[in-house]
Amino acid sequence: MSIQYQGLVTHGLASQIADKIKQAILEGALKVDERLPTEEELAQRFAVSRPTIREALKRLAAQNLIRSRRGPTGGTFVNQPTQAETRLMMANATALLVSMGELSLADIAETRQELESLCCRLAAERRTDEQLQVMREEISRQREPTLSDQDFCASDVRFHRTLIAAAHNPALDLASAGVIEALQPAINLMVFRFRDRAQVADQHAAIHQALMARDGKAALCALTDYMDVLTTQYQAAQAANEQPKISAKTTPTAQTSKTSKANTSTSLSRQARSKKSAP
Amino acid sequence: MSIQYQGLVTHGLASQIADKIKQAILEGALKVDERLPTEEELAQRFAVSRPTIREALKRLAAQNLIRSRRGPTGGTFVNQPTQAETRLMMANATALLVSMGELSLADIAETRQELESLCCRLAAERRTDEQLQVMREEISRQREPTLSDQDFCASDVRFHRTLIAAAHNPALDLASAGVIEALQPAINLMVFRFRDRAQVADQHAAIHQALMARDGKAALCALTDYMDVLTTQYQAAQAANEQPKISAKTTPTAQTSKTSKANTSTSLSRQARSKKSAP
DNA sequence: AAAGTACCATTTGTCAGACAAATAGGAAAT
DNA sequence: ATTTCCTATTTGTCTGACAAATGGTACTTT
């Protein structure tokens, strides 16, 4: 009568073991940089074979929770999670959502604008002289006529990352990671004319100046101008990219060893079709 | 003389294969729900053994990029990333950073307040009647005196998640995931007195009423009050928790059949010792 | 005696083959 | 026609082994 109809097993041995070790790390039973037992010893402890242990460890390694080294002093160690790594992971996950069409660029752009507005207000109080210096360097780089388009975009990203860093709140930095990096591929598709570049650089300079004067409102205005230009440019680039759609798609699978790669025709148009929700 | 001194191998075969498959998915060569070859076939294609392929697939499975099923119609399929899963992953990563002391609760609390303030402004325009209804239900639940402490906290989280959802911006929802969920364990440590509960419920009601009237400023004021109460409560709980260290924690893991593992000295105190960052 | 070198022990990385488990489809029996 | 059983296919796990890396140790040489 008292048969348990649930709670048997649903996710395989390796998955369960991975969860147990992860839980141990989360609870602090395994401290950072602590070496956990050998794979063979773990196999004995959990009463499974070594490949199963290895699969469990691989799952954890994929999440940057542990690292492994060979040799006598080697073994498996608990990784200390870094803000930079977490940030990278979030950016990747967000980019994946975008490429799969689960997130619209319009939503991301709005969130980015709101978050950077927030950063403008906080950075006006907290920015350091070093961050202002970095901004100046990027602005002068952006005014270099010989800069390639992608270098220009990279510099743009660095400027805005500096703006966010100037807010001096790591949690806010982390929360902004996705919306900043996920927007970069779209921006990279734009080719800025010389006049646009100057405009962008001027707006960056305006932000920099406002932050130097600790004037949050002025920084916010400059940021808003920048965002307006960006959306205008994006719409123009989108319109220009809708015409040449003749590019033949390569057969989807077809990948043996090296022949991957190809088009990046990630349906620009569909993603851009995001709207405001009708009440 | 033209020897390549770099780019040999740095991360093992399985890692390289995982990266290749991941890149194929990212570039669209492998579409969603598409079945990729069997493990044996992949092993032949990449000229490695099946365990190596399996380790590569496990790495991808740990990132929710693929799923596997057994049987004739089984195999490995490309997963469609979901906002909910991505959100969960971000929440986990943030919680890990907090438990490792890489993120201070003060920074998270500030970011949460700013993000929710933002949501108040947006939600005042965009909230739906259904979301108002959900808020009403949670508020009435929070006024139930028989509710347990953790159920009260869970209801609190649901209320604020509804507030964020009412902003109707998936990207903002995603960005807020970490700071909302990462703060919950800290809140769970608090035991609310009856008077505090009534206060929280009243502030929730004030937010709800302001959103119903589409008054963003009023919602923001109510939210600010709520946050003030929360930080006050937290500081009180923190001070109270520093004295009584005698409380015995229940064994967290509680192994089933295997006699593995041992102590789980879940140093409570270390996690709670977070403070404000000195500028 | 000090320093360099060769060897060795330990641990993860990879390979090979095999069996177990799950699952869908088809064949056979009622 | 429906149910039941069998079978083929694919992943999950086990066993055993060898390869590669890496630090320590003992030996040799200066």
Side-chain angles (χ1 to χ4, degrees):
Chain A
M1 293 310 174
S2 61
I3 304 176
Q4 282 195 4
Y5 290 99
Q6 286 182 353
L8 300 185
V9 265
T10 93
H11 287 89
L13 282 175
S15 183
Q16 298 176 50
I17 293 172
D19 285 344
K20 278 202 178 299
I21 296 177
K22 183 175 182 178
Q23 197 175 353
I25 294 176
L26 258 289
E27 288 172 353
L30 295 171
K31 286 181 282 293
V32 168
D33 288 338
E34 182 175 341
R35 173 185 175 177
L36 45 91
T38 307
E39 292 180 352
E40 294 180 6
E41 196 169 339
L42 282 175
Q44 292 178 5
R45 296 266 196 106
F46 285 104
V48 296
S49 70
R50 196 172 149 235
T52 303
I53 290 291
R54 282 189 62 76
E55 289 200 2
L57 294 180
K58 285 308 166 190
R59 293 179 97 101
L60 300 177
Q63 300 173 334
N64 271 323
L65 278 166
I66 59 173
R67 64 181 182 277
S68 295
R69 260 180 23 220
R70 285 193 272 202
T73 63
T76 306
F77 300 86
V78 178
N79 251 347
Q80 174 146 30
T82 309
Q83 287 184 30
E85 290 169 354
T86 306
R87 180 192 178 88
L88 199 63
M89 179 195 305
M90 287 182 173
N92 280 337
T94 307
L96 187 64
L97 277 182
V98 172
S99 77
M100 293 300 187
E102 291 288 304
L103 263 187
S104 77
L105 287 179
D107 286 337
I108 293 180
E110 180 184 72
T111 303
R112 174 177 167 175
Q113 173 158 9
E114 296 291 354
L115 288 182
E116 288 204 35
S117 300
L118 222 170
C119 289
C120 277
R121 176 158 53 80
L122 295 178
E125 301 174 0
R126 305 178 182 174
R127 93 288 185 284
T128 63
D129 293 339
E130 287 77 14
Q131 282 151 352
L132 290 178
Q133 174 65 22
V134 171
M135 288 183 177
R136 271 193 297 272
E137 291 170 3
E138 297 298 340
I139 291 171
S140 67
R141 183 171 295 129
Q142 288 157 17
R143 283 179 170 146
E144 194 69 35
T146 64
L147 204 66
S148 72
D149 277 327
Q150 80 177 20
D151 284 344
F152 180 82
C153 291
S155 175
D156 178 77
V157 169
R158 282 196 298 272
F159 179 88
H160 287 273
R161 286 198 55 170
T162 307
L163 169 62
I164 291 178
H168 280 96
N169 185 326
L172 183 55
D173 192 329
L174 225 52
S176 312
V179 291
I180 295 289
E181 314 288 344
L183 218 50
Q184 187 179 9
I187 298 178
N188 276 338
L189 291 183
M190 300 193 248
V191 175
F192 290 95
R193 292 165 304 188
F194 182 76
R195 175 182 242 149
D196 303 327
R197 285 194 180 188
Q199 198 174 7
V200 167
D202 287 347
Q203 283 153 353
H204 284 172
I207 294 175
H208 164 265
Q209 199 160 4
L211 292 185
M212 190 158 56
R214 300 196 183 279
D215 187 347
K217 290 190 190 301
L220 201 150
C221 289
L223 178 72
T224 305
D225 290 344
Y226 167 81
M227 282 292 176
D228 287 344
V229 169
L230 208 64
T231 54
T232 303
Q233 286 297 314
Y234 176 68
Q235 287 168 356
Q238 186 184 4
N241 275 8
E242 265 187 3
Q243 293 304 70
K245 194 61 123 327
I246 318 101
S247 68
K249 263 200 102 159
T250 63
T251 64
T253 57
Q255 85 317 8
T256 59
S257 55
K258 302 305 169 62
T259 66
S260 66
K261 180 66 60 32
N263 62 352
T264 56
S265 78
T266 60
S267 65
L268 241 300
S269 54
R270 190 188 67 221
Q271 295 177 354
R273 176 147 11 182
S274 80
K275 44 5 328 349
K276 38 256 340 234
S277 60
Chain B
M1 285 314 169
S2 62
I3 304 175
Q4 283 193 3
Y5 289 99
Q6 285 182 353
L8 300 184
V9 268
T10 76
H11 288 88
L13 282 174
S15 183
Q16 297 176 52
I17 293 172
D19 285 343
K20 277 202 178 299
I21 297 177
K22 183 176 182 178
Q23 198 175 353
I25 295 177
L26 257 291
E27 288 173 352
L30 294 172
K31 286 184 283 293
V32 168
D33 288 336
E34 180 174 342
R35 173 186 175 176
L36 44 94
T38 64
E39 294 179 350
E40 293 180 6
E41 195 169 341
L42 282 175
Q44 293 177 3
R45 296 267 196 107
F46 284 104
V48 295
S49 69
R50 191 168 156 240
T52 304
I53 290 290
R54 282 189 63 75
E55 289 199 3
L57 293 181
K58 285 307 166 190
R59 294 179 95 100
L60 300 177
Q63 300 174 336
N64 271 324
L65 278 165
I66 58 173
R67 63 180 184 278
S68 295
R69 260 179 23 219
R70 286 192 272 202
T73 63
T76 307
F77 299 86
V78 178
N79 251 348
Q80 173 145 30
T82 308
Q83 286 184 30
E85 290 169 354
T86 306
R87 180 192 177 87
L88 199 63
M89 180 195 306
M90 288 182 174
N92 280 337
T94 307
L96 186 65
L97 278 182
V98 172
S99 77
M100 293 301 186
E102 292 288 304
L103 264 188
S104 77
L105 287 178
D107 287 336
I108 293 180
E110 181 183 74
T111 303
R112 175 177 167 176
Q113 173 159 7
E114 297 291 354
L115 288 182
E116 289 202 34
S117 299
L118 221 170
C119 288
C120 276
R121 177 159 52 81
L122 295 178
E125 302 174 0
R126 305 179 183 173
R127 93 286 185 286
T128 63
D129 292 341
E130 287 78 12
Q131 282 150 352
L132 291 178
Q133 175 66 23
V134 172
M135 289 182 178
R136 271 193 297 273
E137 291 169 2
E138 297 297 341
I139 291 171
S140 69
R141 183 171 294 129
Q142 288 157 17
R143 283 180 170 145
E144 194 70 35
T146 63
L147 204 66
S148 72
D149 277 326
Q150 79 176 20
D151 284 343
F152 180 82
C153 292
S155 174
D156 178 77
V157 169
R158 281 196 299 273
F159 179 89
H160 287 273
R161 286 198 55 170
T162 307
L163 169 62
I164 290 178
H168 280 97
N169 186 325
L172 183 56
D173 192 329
L174 225 52
S176 312
V179 291
I180 295 289
E181 314 288 345
L183 218 51
Q184 188 180 6
I187 298 178
N188 277 337
L189 291 182
M190 299 192 246
V191 176
F192 290 95
R193 291 164 307 188
F194 182 76
R195 174 182 242 149
D196 303 328
R197 285 194 181 187
Q199 198 173 7
V200 167
D202 286 347
Q203 282 152 353
H204 284 173
I207 294 175
H208 163 266
Q209 198 161 4
L211 291 185
M212 190 159 53
R214 301 196 183 279
D215 186 346
K217 289 189 190 302
L220 201 149
C221 288
L223 177 72
T224 304
D225 290 344
Y226 166 82
M227 282 292 176
D228 287 344
V229 169
L230 208 66
T231 53
T232 303
Q233 286 296 314
Y234 177 68
Q235 287 169 356
Q238 189 180 6
N241 273 9
E242 271 188 359
Q243 293 303 72
K245 196 63 118 332
I246 319 101
S247 71
K249 259 205 105 170
T250 64
T251 64
T253 54
Q255 245 58 1
T256 62
S257 57
K258 317 306 152 76
T259 66
S260 69
K261 215 32 89 38
N263 65 349
T264 55
S265 71
T266 64
S267 59
L268 235 302
S269 55
R270 193 188 62 220
Q271 294 180 353
R273 179 165 358 210
S274 82
K275 55 282 336 43
K276 44 254 337 220
S277 61

